[in-house]
Amino acid sequence: GGELNASANCLDRHLDERGDEAAIEWVGEPTEEGNRTYTYEELHREVNEAAAALREMGVGEDDVVTMYMPMIPELAIAMLACARIGAPHSVVFAGFSADALATRMNAADSEYLVTCDGYYRRGDALEHLDKAEDGLESVNQEVTSVVVDRLGDEFDHDLDSNQLDYHDLLAEQEGETVEPVDRDAEDMLFLMYTSGTT
Protein backbone atom coordinates (compact mmCIF):
# COMPACT_ATOMS: atom_id res chain seq x y z
CA GLY A 1 0.00 0.00 0.00
CA GLY A 2 2.99 2.34 0.04
CA GLU A 3 3.67 5.02 -2.57
CA LEU A 4 6.98 6.51 -3.58
CA ASN A 5 9.03 7.89 -6.44
CA ALA A 6 12.55 6.54 -6.91
CA SER A 7 13.78 9.75 -8.56
CA ALA A 8 12.63 11.87 -5.62
CA ASN A 9 14.16 9.37 -3.22
CA CYS A 10 17.52 9.54 -5.03
CA LEU A 11 17.58 13.30 -5.58
CA ASP A 12 14.98 15.60 -4.02
CA ARG A 13 15.39 14.49 -0.43
CA HIS A 14 19.12 15.31 -0.54
CA LEU A 15 18.85 18.85 -1.92
CA ASP A 16 18.51 20.81 1.32
CA GLU A 17 21.50 19.32 3.14
CA ARG A 18 23.67 17.94 0.31
CA GLY A 19 22.75 19.98 -2.76
CA ASP A 20 26.32 21.11 -3.43
CA GLU A 21 27.89 17.69 -2.78
CA ALA A 22 28.89 15.34 -5.59
CA ALA A 23 26.16 12.92 -6.62
CA ILE A 24 28.01 11.50 -9.64
CA GLU A 25 31.73 11.54 -10.30
CA TRP A 26 32.34 10.13 -13.74
CA VAL A 27 35.69 9.34 -15.34
CA GLY A 28 35.45 8.59 -19.04
CA GLU A 29 37.75 8.23 -21.99
CA PRO A 30 39.87 10.02 -22.95
CA THR A 31 40.54 10.70 -19.30
CA GLU A 32 42.14 14.10 -19.80
CA GLU A 33 38.84 15.49 -21.09
CA GLY A 34 36.25 12.92 -20.07
CA ASN A 35 35.78 13.68 -16.38
CA ARG A 36 32.47 15.15 -15.18
CA THR A 37 31.07 15.80 -11.71
CA TYR A 38 27.40 16.44 -10.99
CA THR A 39 26.28 17.85 -7.66
CA TYR A 40 22.85 16.84 -6.41
CA GLU A 41 21.56 20.25 -7.51
CA GLU A 42 23.02 19.89 -11.01
CA LEU A 43 21.82 16.31 -11.35
CA HIS A 44 18.35 17.27 -10.13
CA ARG A 45 18.18 20.07 -12.71
CA GLU A 46 19.24 17.85 -15.64
CA VAL A 47 16.96 14.99 -14.58
CA ASN A 48 14.03 17.40 -14.46
CA GLU A 49 14.86 18.77 -17.91
CA ALA A 50 15.19 15.24 -19.29
CA ALA A 51 11.90 14.22 -17.66
CA ALA A 52 10.18 17.27 -19.18
CA ALA A 53 11.65 16.40 -22.59
CA LEU A 54 10.46 12.79 -22.39
CA ARG A 55 7.00 13.91 -21.35
CA GLU A 56 6.93 16.41 -24.24
CA MET A 57 7.78 13.52 -26.59
CA GLY A 58 4.69 11.69 -25.35
CA VAL A 59 6.21 9.34 -22.78
CA GLY A 60 3.65 8.63 -20.07
CA GLU A 61 3.22 6.41 -17.04
CA ASP A 62 3.93 2.73 -17.75
CA ASP A 63 5.49 3.42 -21.19
CA VAL A 64 8.72 1.40 -21.39
CA VAL A 65 11.73 3.50 -22.44
CA THR A 66 14.63 1.41 -23.74
CA MET A 67 18.19 2.57 -23.07
CA TYR A 68 20.99 1.31 -25.27
CA MET A 69 24.20 3.08 -24.35
CA PRO A 70 27.42 2.67 -22.39
CA MET A 71 28.15 3.83 -18.84
CA ILE A 72 27.88 7.57 -19.36
CA PRO A 73 26.15 10.06 -17.03
CA GLU A 74 23.25 10.46 -19.45
CA LEU A 75 22.32 6.83 -18.79
CA ALA A 76 21.75 7.47 -15.08
CA ILE A 77 20.03 10.77 -15.89
CA ALA A 78 17.63 9.07 -18.31
CA MET A 79 16.87 6.33 -15.78
CA LEU A 80 16.04 8.88 -13.08
CA ALA A 81 14.02 10.97 -15.55
CA CYS A 82 11.91 7.96 -16.46
CA ALA A 83 11.35 7.13 -12.80
CA ARG A 84 10.26 10.72 -12.20
CA ILE A 85 7.40 10.46 -14.71
CA GLY A 86 6.48 6.87 -13.85
CA ALA A 87 7.85 5.29 -17.03
CA PRO A 88 9.75 2.01 -16.56
CA HIS A 89 13.17 1.88 -18.20
CA SER A 90 14.74 -1.12 -19.88
CA VAL A 91 18.53 -1.08 -20.10
CA VAL A 92 20.08 -3.07 -22.95
CA PHE A 93 23.85 -3.54 -22.54
CA ALA A 94 25.68 -1.51 -25.20
CA GLY A 95 27.76 -4.55 -26.14
CA PHE A 96 24.67 -6.54 -27.15
CA SER A 97 23.86 -6.97 -30.83
CA ALA A 98 21.29 -5.11 -32.90
CA ASP A 99 19.15 -8.24 -32.85
CA ALA A 100 19.26 -8.36 -29.05
CA LEU A 101 18.05 -4.75 -28.95
CA ALA A 102 15.19 -5.50 -31.34
CA THR A 103 14.14 -8.62 -29.43
CA ARG A 104 13.93 -6.74 -26.15
CA MET A 105 12.13 -3.72 -27.62
CA ASN A 106 9.57 -5.97 -29.30
CA ALA A 107 9.01 -7.97 -26.12
CA ALA A 108 8.45 -4.77 -24.13
CA ASP A 109 6.44 -3.07 -26.90
CA SER A 110 8.79 -0.13 -26.33
CA GLU A 111 8.24 2.91 -28.57
CA TYR A 112 11.08 5.02 -27.15
CA LEU A 113 14.84 4.56 -27.29
CA VAL A 114 17.63 6.55 -25.65
CA THR A 115 21.01 5.82 -27.22
CA CYS A 116 24.24 7.54 -28.27
CA ASP A 117 26.33 8.05 -31.37
CA GLY A 118 29.23 6.01 -30.02
CA TYR A 119 31.68 5.53 -27.18
CA TYR A 120 35.30 4.90 -26.36
CA ARG A 121 36.70 1.47 -25.55
CA ARG A 122 40.37 1.12 -24.66
CA GLY A 123 41.06 4.47 -26.30
CA ASP A 124 39.29 3.74 -29.58
CA ALA A 125 36.14 5.55 -30.69
CA LEU A 126 33.44 3.03 -31.61
CA GLU A 127 30.30 3.80 -33.58
CA HIS A 128 27.10 2.77 -31.83
CA LEU A 129 24.28 4.57 -33.63
CA ASP A 130 24.57 2.37 -36.72
CA LYS A 131 24.03 -0.72 -34.56
CA ALA A 132 21.02 0.87 -32.89
CA GLU A 133 19.54 1.80 -36.27
CA ASP A 134 20.09 -1.75 -37.54
CA GLY A 135 18.20 -3.07 -34.53
CA LEU A 136 15.31 -0.67 -35.04
CA GLU A 137 14.74 -2.07 -38.54
CA SER A 138 13.46 -5.27 -36.85
CA VAL A 139 11.28 -3.51 -34.27
CA ASN A 140 7.57 -3.92 -35.03
CA GLN A 141 6.36 -0.57 -33.68
CA GLU A 142 7.27 3.01 -34.56
CA VAL A 143 10.13 4.23 -32.35
CA THR A 144 11.25 7.73 -31.42
CA SER A 145 14.94 7.88 -30.49
CA VAL A 146 16.92 10.30 -28.37
CA VAL A 147 20.61 10.38 -29.31
CA VAL A 148 23.37 11.55 -26.97
CA ASP A 149 26.33 13.09 -28.84
CA ARG A 150 29.17 11.32 -27.02
CA LEU A 151 31.95 11.37 -29.62
CA GLY A 152 31.66 14.93 -30.91
CA ASP A 153 33.83 15.37 -34.00
CA GLU A 154 35.05 11.76 -33.86
CA PHE A 155 31.83 10.57 -35.50
CA ASP A 156 29.82 12.85 -37.74
CA HIS A 157 26.19 11.82 -38.05
CA ASP A 158 22.91 13.21 -39.30
CA LEU A 159 19.72 12.49 -37.39
CA ASP A 160 16.52 11.35 -39.09
CA SER A 161 13.14 12.92 -38.37
CA ASN A 162 12.39 10.33 -35.67
CA GLN A 163 15.78 10.87 -33.99
CA LEU A 164 16.15 13.75 -31.53
CA ASP A 165 19.36 15.22 -30.15
CA TYR A 166 19.59 14.83 -26.37
CA HIS A 167 21.28 18.16 -25.70
CA ASP A 168 18.88 20.05 -27.96
CA LEU A 169 15.92 18.52 -26.14
CA LEU A 170 17.30 19.56 -22.76
CA ALA A 171 18.05 23.07 -24.00
CA GLU A 172 14.39 23.40 -24.99
CA GLN A 173 13.37 22.41 -21.44
CA GLU A 174 15.95 24.55 -19.62
CA GLY A 175 14.86 25.28 -16.06
CA GLU A 176 11.75 23.09 -16.25
CA THR A 177 10.73 21.12 -13.17
CA VAL A 178 8.60 17.98 -13.13
CA GLU A 179 6.64 16.94 -10.08
CA PRO A 180 7.55 13.32 -9.24
CA VAL A 181 4.71 10.91 -10.04
CA ASP A 182 3.56 8.87 -7.05
CA ARG A 183 4.00 5.19 -7.81
CA ASP A 184 2.66 2.19 -5.96
CA ALA A 185 5.41 0.34 -4.13
CA GLU A 186 4.84 -2.67 -6.41
CA ASP A 187 4.71 -0.77 -9.71
CA MET A 188 7.45 -1.61 -12.20
CA LEU A 189 10.52 0.62 -11.91
CA PHE A 190 12.57 -1.10 -14.61
CA LEU A 191 12.45 -4.07 -16.94
CA MET A 192 15.63 -6.16 -17.09
CA TYR A 193 15.99 -9.05 -19.50
CA THR A 194 18.55 -11.72 -18.75
CA SER A 195 21.20 -12.38 -21.37
CA GLY A 196 20.73 -15.31 -23.71
CA THR A 197 23.48 -17.27 -21.98
CA THR A 198 21.84 -16.72 -18.60
Side-chain angles (χ1 to χ4, degrees):
E3 290 189 347
L4 74 164
N5 183 284
S7 179
N9 206 29
C10 290
L11 296 174
D12 302 53
R13 70 188 183 95
H14 297 296
L15 294 179
D16 287 343
E17 294 184 7
R18 304 177 63 193
D20 59 351
E21 292 181 22
I24 291 179
E25 289 193 24
W26 181 75
V27 178
E29 294 185 68
T31 52
E32 64 271 11
E33 61 186 50
N35 302 341
R36 278 190 273 167
T37 299
Y38 290 80
T39 65
Y40 279 97
E41 284 280 1
E42 291 167 338
L43 186 59
H44 181 261
R45 181 168 56 250
E46 188 155 332
V47 165
N48 271 272
E49 291 169 352
L54 289 171
R55 201 171 55 182
E56 185 72 20
M57 287 167 49
V59 180
E61 283 188 61
D62 299 316
D63 289 335
V64 176
V65 178
T66 302
M67 298 175 190
Y68 187 45
M69 58 180 131
M71 296 294 288
I72 55 178
E74 290 83 1
L75 174 59
I77 289 164
M79 292 165 68
L80 290 166
C82 284
R84 197 163 194 87
I85 60 176
H89 61 270
S90 173
V91 174
V92 179
F93 171 53
F96 281 177
S97 68
D99 182 59
L101 172 66
T103 300
R104 286 158 176 77
M105 290 194 73
N106 282 329
D109 197 25
S110 176
E111 299 178 358
Y112 303 97
L113 173 68
V114 183
T115 188
C116 66
D117 58 347
Y119 53 93
Y120 294 94
R121 186 169 176 84
R122 298 192 179 103
D124 295 326
L126 304 178
E127 291 187 15
H128 185 68
L129 188 57
D130 286 348
K131 190 165 62 166
E133 289 171 342
D134 288 346
L136 290 177
E137 290 181 7
S138 300
V139 174
N140 300 326
Q141 58 277 7
E142 287 291 320
V143 175
T144 302
S145 300
V146 176
V147 181
V148 176
D149 187 347
R150 169 73 181 96
L151 296 182
D153 295 336
E154 289 272 6
F155 176 41
D156 190 27
H157 60 277
D158 294 316
L159 299 182
D160 294 334
S161 59
N162 61 340
Q163 295 175 321
L164 307 170
D165 180 84
Y166 174 86
H167 299 289
D168 288 347
L169 286 176
L170 264 62
E172 292 170 8
Q173 302 296 332
E174 186 176 0
E176 285 293 321
T177 56
V178 174
E179 192 67 25
V181 174
D182 287 338
R183 299 288 283 171
D184 186 87
E186 295 188 12
D187 284 346
M188 184 189 299
L189 175 63
F190 62 87
L191 182 63
M192 180 68 74
Y193 292 95
T194 57
S195 64
T197 50
T198 305

